[in-house]
Amino acid sequence: MSIQQSEVLYTAVATAENGRDGRVATNDGQLDVVVNPPKEMGGSGAGTNPEQLFAAGYSACFQGALGVVARNENADISGSTVTAEVGIGKNDDGFGLIVKISASIPNVDVATAKDLIEKAHQVCPYSKATRGNITVELAV
């Protein structure tokens, strides 16, 4: 289900120069980074890359969704962390992504942690945006 333009609460704006081998910056100046392909893809690896930026955004968003779910479930997720691993590789269309989301939730048992991350995966905007498009593995 998509949102209508009138329902948008915030819009992030970023501009890239020279694609994967250049610079990307937000219009508010909060993010301004050099981007370079990783050494594994023939680049210098001197800067960050789009997959790292996507992993950072996805992990933060997923942690936020986990917090929403935990509040609804009265679960203690204090001290929890969420790690996103974003892989890029060749596929039939050129290149594609694969993601692994790992959550460490020390104050709940494994079954509860699995339930919480499954529910977070249903409400996380990044998960919704990627659903059906890329493989996303969940792990605790």
Side-chain angles (χ1 to χ4, degrees), residues 105 107-117 140:
I105 312 172
N107 296 322
V108 300
D109 60 69
V110 173
T112 301
K114 286 180 179 180
D115 183 59
L116 291 171
I117 67 167
V140 291

Side-chain angles (χ1 to χ4, degrees), residues 74-88:
N74 293 316
D76 180 7
I77 64 161
S78 59
S80 66
T81 59
V82 172
T83 301
E85 299 174 47
V86 176
I88 184 170

